[in-house]
Amino acid sequence: MNFSGAYTALVTPFQDGKIDEDRFRAHIEWQITEGIHGLVPCGTTGESATLTHDEHKEAIRICVDQANKRVPVLAGAGSNNTKEAVHLTQFAKEAGADGVLLISPYYNKPTQEGIYQHFKYIADTISMPMVLYNVPGRTGSNIMPSTVARLHKDIPQIVGIKEATGNLIQVSDLIEQCGASLNVLSGDDFTLLPLLSIGGAGVISVVSNLLPNKMASLCNAWNEGDISTARKLHFEMQPLNRAMFMESNPIPVKTALALQGKMDTDFRLPMVPLADENLKKLKAVLVDSGLL
């Protein structure tokens, strides 16, 4: 499985404290209709940290069913508990996901050897395509390029990594050490174009919840050698890229979707509604971007 292009890190709609299946399906369907290349349920943007195991499985099941093999589904299945990650990965495989996104263990702060052994244990237990997820700002630890290169060399089913350090020097070192056989995906929308320029494969995007066609079009333009169009789309989306991180993700993006009438602003604590002063700023960006 070649995970490349624009993948949406899906928001999970809630209503009355439960997953809103109808709106979740509608959101997935709209993403596919708009030309998105792939879908990622149960990532950070999907509030995976506060989903129960049953809800986590339900979100993956709904996404796989609605996508119906029209686009790949890369299911979030990571945990800081290695055996829990195995359990979620096994479910994702049985549910029909095309691969899993595996965050490095958070809070524990394992050594590089601990990170290596965590992913190796999962891969030794279950055979399916795996994409690592490196986001030190959330986990408290960094998967170093040398560790990724070792994992990719030793474990063929590790086919990609979502890189959310925002550090292009690290990403460059990573691509240099791993080569073209590892798909490096941006985990920060604003770094997509520069990452593509040094050999990256695409993005797992927050902003594509709102602009799936434009994010997919940027990747398409780059792959077709149309650099000027890719650059134009990059700068068109930059105000929205910034707005989506004015507060912790997914607060701004879910608020934006609610303002469009696509879902409720129903968050799981400790996530709370967007502050009033930021709500005004968000509305202004959405209007300027033609989304309100």
mmCIF file with all atom_site columns, all heavy atoms in Angstrom, residues 58 66 86 90 104 168 184 203 231-233 248 262 269-270 283:
data_model
loop_
_atom_site.group_PDB
_atom_site.id
_atom_site.type_symbol
_atom_site.label_atom_id
_atom_site.label_alt_id
_atom_site.label_comp_id
_atom_site.label_asym_id
_atom_site.label_entity_id
_atom_site.label_seq_id
_atom_site.pdbx_PDB_ins_code
_atom_site.Cartn_x
_atom_site.Cartn_y
_atom_site.Cartn_z
_atom_site.occupancy
_atom_site.B_iso_or_equiv
_atom_site.pdbx_formal_charge
_atom_site.auth_seq_id
_atom_site.auth_comp_id
_atom_site.auth_asym_id
_atom_site.auth_atom_id
_atom_site.pdbx_PDB_model_num
ATOM 1   N N   . GLU A 1 58  ? -15.834 1.719  16.747 1.00 0.00 ? 58  GLU A N   1
ATOM 2   C CA  . GLU A 1 58  ? -17.007 2.145  15.987 1.00 0.00 ? 58  GLU A CA  1
ATOM 3   C C   . GLU A 1 58  ? -16.613 3.159  14.910 1.00 0.00 ? 58  GLU A C   1
ATOM 4   O O   . GLU A 1 58  ? -17.070 3.082  13.761 1.00 0.00 ? 58  GLU A O   1
ATOM 5   C CB  . GLU A 1 58  ? -18.042 2.768  16.926 1.00 0.00 ? 58  GLU A CB  1
ATOM 6   C CG  . GLU A 1 58  ? -19.311 3.230  16.223 1.00 0.00 ? 58  GLU A CG  1
ATOM 7   C CD  . GLU A 1 58  ? -20.278 3.944  17.152 1.00 0.00 ? 58  GLU A CD  1
ATOM 8   O OE1 . GLU A 1 58  ? -19.964 4.116  18.348 1.00 0.00 ? 58  GLU A OE1 1
ATOM 9   O OE2 . GLU A 1 58  ? -21.354 4.352  16.669 1.00 0.00 ? 58  GLU A OE2 1
ATOM 10  N N   . GLN A 1 66  ? -18.078 3.283  5.075  1.00 0.00 ? 66  GLN A N   1
ATOM 11  C CA  . GLN A 1 66  ? -18.509 4.384  4.208  1.00 0.00 ? 66  GLN A CA  1
ATOM 12  C C   . GLN A 1 66  ? -17.549 4.567  3.037  1.00 0.00 ? 66  GLN A C   1
ATOM 13  O O   . GLN A 1 66  ? -17.978 4.833  1.909  1.00 0.00 ? 66  GLN A O   1
ATOM 14  C CB  . GLN A 1 66  ? -18.608 5.677  5.019  1.00 0.00 ? 66  GLN A CB  1
ATOM 15  C CG  . GLN A 1 66  ? -19.268 6.820  4.266  1.00 0.00 ? 66  GLN A CG  1
ATOM 16  C CD  . GLN A 1 66  ? -20.737 6.545  3.938  1.00 0.00 ? 66  GLN A CD  1
ATOM 17  O OE1 . GLN A 1 66  ? -21.442 5.908  4.714  1.00 0.00 ? 66  GLN A OE1 1
ATOM 18  N NE2 . GLN A 1 66  ? -21.183 7.010  2.785  1.00 0.00 ? 66  GLN A NE2 1
ATOM 19  N N   . VAL A 1 86  ? -1.550  -3.178 20.020 1.00 0.00 ? 86  VAL A N   1
ATOM 20  C CA  . VAL A 1 86  ? -1.739  -4.444 19.298 1.00 0.00 ? 86  VAL A CA  1
ATOM 21  C C   . VAL A 1 86  ? -3.223  -4.746 19.150 1.00 0.00 ? 86  VAL A C   1
ATOM 22  O O   . VAL A 1 86  ? -3.702  -5.120 18.067 1.00 0.00 ? 86  VAL A O   1
ATOM 23  C CB  . VAL A 1 86  ? -1.022  -5.603 20.026 1.00 0.00 ? 86  VAL A CB  1
ATOM 24  C CG1 . VAL A 1 86  ? -1.481  -6.960 19.477 1.00 0.00 ? 86  VAL A CG1 1
ATOM 25  C CG2 . VAL A 1 86  ? 0.486   -5.463 19.890 1.00 0.00 ? 86  VAL A CG2 1
ATOM 26  N N   . GLN A 1 90  ? -5.129  -4.955 15.603 1.00 0.00 ? 90  GLN A N   1
ATOM 27  C CA  . GLN A 1 90  ? -5.800  -6.181 15.186 1.00 0.00 ? 90  GLN A CA  1
ATOM 28  C C   . GLN A 1 90  ? -7.236  -5.891 14.779 1.00 0.00 ? 90  GLN A C   1
ATOM 29  O O   . GLN A 1 90  ? -7.729  -6.412 13.768 1.00 0.00 ? 90  GLN A O   1
ATOM 30  C CB  . GLN A 1 90  ? -5.783  -7.208 16.319 1.00 0.00 ? 90  GLN A CB  1
ATOM 31  C CG  . GLN A 1 90  ? -6.388  -8.564 15.961 1.00 0.00 ? 90  GLN A CG  1
ATOM 32  C CD  . GLN A 1 90  ? -5.626  -9.276 14.865 1.00 0.00 ? 90  GLN A CD  1
ATOM 33  O OE1 . GLN A 1 90  ? -4.409  -9.388 14.929 1.00 0.00 ? 90  GLN A OE1 1
ATOM 34  N NE2 . GLN A 1 90  ? -6.327  -9.754 13.844 1.00 0.00 ? 90  GLN A NE2 1
ATOM 35  N N   . SER A 1 104 ? 3.940   7.254  18.457 1.00 0.00 ? 104 SER A N   1
ATOM 36  C CA  . SER A 1 104 ? 4.935   6.755  19.402 1.00 0.00 ? 104 SER A CA  1
ATOM 37  C C   . SER A 1 104 ? 4.382   6.886  20.816 1.00 0.00 ? 104 SER A C   1
ATOM 38  O O   . SER A 1 104 ? 3.519   7.731  21.080 1.00 0.00 ? 104 SER A O   1
ATOM 39  C CB  . SER A 1 104 ? 6.244   7.520  19.260 1.00 0.00 ? 104 SER A CB  1
ATOM 40  O OG  . SER A 1 104 ? 6.045   8.892  19.516 1.00 0.00 ? 104 SER A OG  1
ATOM 41  N N   . LEU A 1 168 ? 12.165  20.860 9.288  1.00 0.00 ? 168 LEU A N   1
ATOM 42  C CA  . LEU A 1 168 ? 12.548  20.383 7.958  1.00 0.00 ? 168 LEU A CA  1
ATOM 43  C C   . LEU A 1 168 ? 13.967  19.835 7.915  1.00 0.00 ? 168 LEU A C   1
ATOM 44  O O   . LEU A 1 168 ? 14.292  19.036 7.032  1.00 0.00 ? 168 LEU A O   1
ATOM 45  C CB  . LEU A 1 168 ? 12.369  21.490 6.928  1.00 0.00 ? 168 LEU A CB  1
ATOM 46  C CG  . LEU A 1 168 ? 10.910  21.802 6.571  1.00 0.00 ? 168 LEU A CG  1
ATOM 47  C CD1 . LEU A 1 168 ? 10.827  23.035 5.695  1.00 0.00 ? 168 LEU A CD1 1
ATOM 48  C CD2 . LEU A 1 168 ? 10.242  20.618 5.898  1.00 0.00 ? 168 LEU A CD2 1
ATOM 49  N N   . VAL A 1 184 ? 7.069   9.682  3.496  1.00 0.00 ? 184 VAL A N   1
ATOM 50  C CA  . VAL A 1 184 ? 7.088   10.669 4.573  1.00 0.00 ? 184 VAL A CA  1
ATOM 51  C C   . VAL A 1 184 ? 5.959   11.660 4.335  1.00 0.00 ? 184 VAL A C   1
ATOM 52  O O   . VAL A 1 184 ? 5.913   12.350 3.317  1.00 0.00 ? 184 VAL A O   1
ATOM 53  C CB  . VAL A 1 184 ? 8.446   11.394 4.639  1.00 0.00 ? 184 VAL A CB  1
ATOM 54  C CG1 . VAL A 1 184 ? 8.433   12.431 5.765  1.00 0.00 ? 184 VAL A CG1 1
ATOM 55  C CG2 . VAL A 1 184 ? 9.569   10.389 4.859  1.00 0.00 ? 184 VAL A CG2 1
ATOM 56  N N   . VAL A 1 203 ? 0.515   14.485 2.855  1.00 0.00 ? 203 VAL A N   1
ATOM 57  C CA  . VAL A 1 203 ? 0.124   15.094 4.120  1.00 0.00 ? 203 VAL A CA  1
ATOM 58  C C   . VAL A 1 203 ? -1.024  14.322 4.750  1.00 0.00 ? 203 VAL A C   1
ATOM 59  O O   . VAL A 1 203 ? -1.874  13.772 4.053  1.00 0.00 ? 203 VAL A O   1
ATOM 60  C CB  . VAL A 1 203 ? -0.300  16.574 3.897  1.00 0.00 ? 203 VAL A CB  1
ATOM 61  C CG1 . VAL A 1 203 ? -1.533  16.662 2.993  1.00 0.00 ? 203 VAL A CG1 1
ATOM 62  C CG2 . VAL A 1 203 ? -0.554  17.309 5.209  1.00 0.00 ? 203 VAL A CG2 1
ATOM 63  N N   . ARG A 1 231 ? 2.319   26.074 -5.497 1.00 0.00 ? 231 ARG A N   1
ATOM 64  C CA  . ARG A 1 231 ? 2.719   27.206 -4.656 1.00 0.00 ? 231 ARG A CA  1
ATOM 65  C C   . ARG A 1 231 ? 1.536   28.145 -4.409 1.00 0.00 ? 231 ARG A C   1
ATOM 66  O O   . ARG A 1 231 ? 1.323   28.623 -3.297 1.00 0.00 ? 231 ARG A O   1
ATOM 67  C CB  . ARG A 1 231 ? 3.869   27.954 -5.322 1.00 0.00 ? 231 ARG A CB  1
ATOM 68  C CG  . ARG A 1 231 ? 4.464   29.055 -4.443 1.00 0.00 ? 231 ARG A CG  1
ATOM 69  C CD  . ARG A 1 231 ? 5.566   29.821 -5.159 1.00 0.00 ? 231 ARG A CD  1
ATOM 70  N NE  . ARG A 1 231 ? 6.698   28.952 -5.477 1.00 0.00 ? 231 ARG A NE  1
ATOM 71  C CZ  . ARG A 1 231 ? 7.105   28.676 -6.708 1.00 0.00 ? 231 ARG A CZ  1
ATOM 72  N NH1 . ARG A 1 231 ? 6.474   29.201 -7.756 1.00 0.00 ? 231 ARG A NH1 1
ATOM 73  N NH2 . ARG A 1 231 ? 8.145   27.898 -6.912 1.00 0.00 ? 231 ARG A NH2 1
ATOM 74  N N   . LYS A 1 232 ? 0.738   28.382 -5.435 1.00 0.00 ? 232 LYS A N   1
ATOM 75  C CA  . LYS A 1 232 ? -0.437  29.250 -5.309 1.00 0.00 ? 232 LYS A CA  1
ATOM 76  C C   . LYS A 1 232 ? -1.408  28.685 -4.274 1.00 0.00 ? 232 LYS A C   1
ATOM 77  O O   . LYS A 1 232 ? -1.912  29.413 -3.408 1.00 0.00 ? 232 LYS A O   1
ATOM 78  C CB  . LYS A 1 232 ? -1.114  29.380 -6.667 1.00 0.00 ? 232 LYS A CB  1
ATOM 79  C CG  . LYS A 1 232 ? -2.416  30.172 -6.683 1.00 0.00 ? 232 LYS A CG  1
ATOM 80  C CD  . LYS A 1 232 ? -2.935  30.310 -8.109 1.00 0.00 ? 232 LYS A CD  1
ATOM 81  C CE  . LYS A 1 232 ? -4.292  31.002 -8.154 1.00 0.00 ? 232 LYS A CE  1
ATOM 82  N NZ  . LYS A 1 232 ? -5.373  30.102 -7.663 1.00 0.00 ? 232 LYS A NZ  1
ATOM 83  N N   . LEU A 1 233 ? -1.668  27.377 -4.347 1.00 0.00 ? 233 LEU A N   1
ATOM 84  C CA  . LEU A 1 233 ? -2.579  26.742 -3.396 1.00 0.00 ? 233 LEU A CA  1
ATOM 85  C C   . LEU A 1 233 ? -2.012  26.768 -1.982 1.00 0.00 ? 233 LEU A C   1
ATOM 86  O O   . LEU A 1 233 ? -2.752  26.956 -1.005 1.00 0.00 ? 233 LEU A O   1
ATOM 87  C CB  . LEU A 1 233 ? -2.866  25.306 -3.837 1.00 0.00 ? 233 LEU A CB  1
ATOM 88  C CG  . LEU A 1 233 ? -3.694  25.168 -5.120 1.00 0.00 ? 233 LEU A CG  1
ATOM 89  C CD1 . LEU A 1 233 ? -3.672  23.734 -5.634 1.00 0.00 ? 233 LEU A CD1 1
ATOM 90  C CD2 . LEU A 1 233 ? -5.137  25.627 -4.886 1.00 0.00 ? 233 LEU A CD2 1
ATOM 91  N N   . SER A 1 248 ? -5.666  24.438 20.672 1.00 0.00 ? 248 SER A N   1
ATOM 92  C CA  . SER A 1 248 ? -5.315  23.024 20.479 1.00 0.00 ? 248 SER A CA  1
ATOM 93  C C   . SER A 1 248 ? -6.238  22.359 19.465 1.00 0.00 ? 248 SER A C   1
ATOM 94  O O   . SER A 1 248 ? -7.465  22.509 19.518 1.00 0.00 ? 248 SER A O   1
ATOM 95  C CB  . SER A 1 248 ? -5.406  22.274 21.811 1.00 0.00 ? 248 SER A CB  1
ATOM 96  O OG  . SER A 1 248 ? -4.474  22.781 22.740 1.00 0.00 ? 248 SER A OG  1
ATOM 97  N N   . LYS A 1 262 ? -22.154 21.506 9.661  1.00 0.00 ? 262 LYS A N   1
ATOM 98  C CA  . LYS A 1 262 ? -21.876 20.104 9.347  1.00 0.00 ? 262 LYS A CA  1
ATOM 99  C C   . LYS A 1 262 ? -21.855 19.196 10.574 1.00 0.00 ? 262 LYS A C   1
ATOM 100 O O   . LYS A 1 262 ? -21.905 17.976 10.440 1.00 0.00 ? 262 LYS A O   1
ATOM 101 C CB  . LYS A 1 262 ? -20.550 19.993 8.591  1.00 0.00 ? 262 LYS A CB  1
ATOM 102 C CG  . LYS A 1 262 ? -20.615 20.619 7.190  1.00 0.00 ? 262 LYS A CG  1
ATOM 103 C CD  . LYS A 1 262 ? -19.322 20.441 6.430  1.00 0.00 ? 262 LYS A CD  1
ATOM 104 C CE  . LYS A 1 262 ? -19.476 20.979 5.013  1.00 0.00 ? 262 LYS A CE  1
ATOM 105 N NZ  . LYS A 1 262 ? -18.224 20.846 4.234  1.00 0.00 ? 262 LYS A NZ  1
ATOM 106 N N   . LEU A 1 269 ? -14.217 16.662 27.227 1.00 0.00 ? 269 LEU A N   1
ATOM 107 C CA  . LEU A 1 269 ? -13.248 17.214 28.170 1.00 0.00 ? 269 LEU A CA  1
ATOM 108 C C   . LEU A 1 269 ? -11.996 16.334 28.203 1.00 0.00 ? 269 LEU A C   1
ATOM 109 O O   . LEU A 1 269 ? -12.102 15.121 28.079 1.00 0.00 ? 269 LEU A O   1
ATOM 110 C CB  . LEU A 1 269 ? -13.870 17.288 29.563 1.00 0.00 ? 269 LEU A CB  1
ATOM 111 C CG  . LEU A 1 269 ? -14.864 18.431 29.796 1.00 0.00 ? 269 LEU A CG  1
ATOM 112 C CD1 . LEU A 1 269 ? -15.577 18.244 31.132 1.00 0.00 ? 269 LEU A CD1 1
ATOM 113 C CD2 . LEU A 1 269 ? -14.179 19.791 29.738 1.00 0.00 ? 269 LEU A CD2 1
ATOM 114 N N   . PRO A 1 270 ? -10.816 16.957 28.268 1.00 0.00 ? 270 PRO A N   1
ATOM 115 C CA  . PRO A 1 270 ? -10.557 18.350 28.634 1.00 0.00 ? 270 PRO A CA  1
ATOM 116 C C   . PRO A 1 270 ? -10.584 19.353 27.479 1.00 0.00 ? 270 PRO A C   1
ATOM 117 O O   . PRO A 1 270 ? -10.209 20.504 27.680 1.00 0.00 ? 270 PRO A O   1
ATOM 118 C CB  . PRO A 1 270 ? -9.149  18.277 29.230 1.00 0.00 ? 270 PRO A CB  1
ATOM 119 C CG  . PRO A 1 270 ? -8.482  17.181 28.469 1.00 0.00 ? 270 PRO A CG  1
ATOM 120 C CD  . PRO A 1 270 ? -9.557  16.159 28.233 1.00 0.00 ? 270 PRO A CD  1
ATOM 121 N N   . LYS A 1 283 ? -13.908 33.146 12.478 1.00 0.00 ? 283 LYS A N   1
ATOM 122 C CA  . LYS A 1 283 ? -14.980 33.510 11.551 1.00 0.00 ? 283 LYS A CA  1
ATOM 123 C C   . LYS A 1 283 ? -14.447 34.411 10.444 1.00 0.00 ? 283 LYS A C   1
ATOM 124 O O   . LYS A 1 283 ? -14.809 34.237 9.280  1.00 0.00 ? 283 LYS A O   1
ATOM 125 C CB  . LYS A 1 283 ? -16.122 34.212 12.312 1.00 0.00 ? 283 LYS A CB  1
ATOM 126 C CG  . LYS A 1 283 ? -16.972 33.283 13.152 1.00 0.00 ? 283 LYS A CG  1
ATOM 127 C CD  . LYS A 1 283 ? -18.069 34.067 13.875 1.00 0.00 ? 283 LYS A CD  1
ATOM 128 C CE  . LYS A 1 283 ? -18.968 33.134 14.668 1.00 0.00 ? 283 LYS A CE  1
ATOM 129 N NZ  . LYS A 1 283 ? -20.007 33.887 15.430 1.00 0.00 ? 283 LYS A NZ  1
#
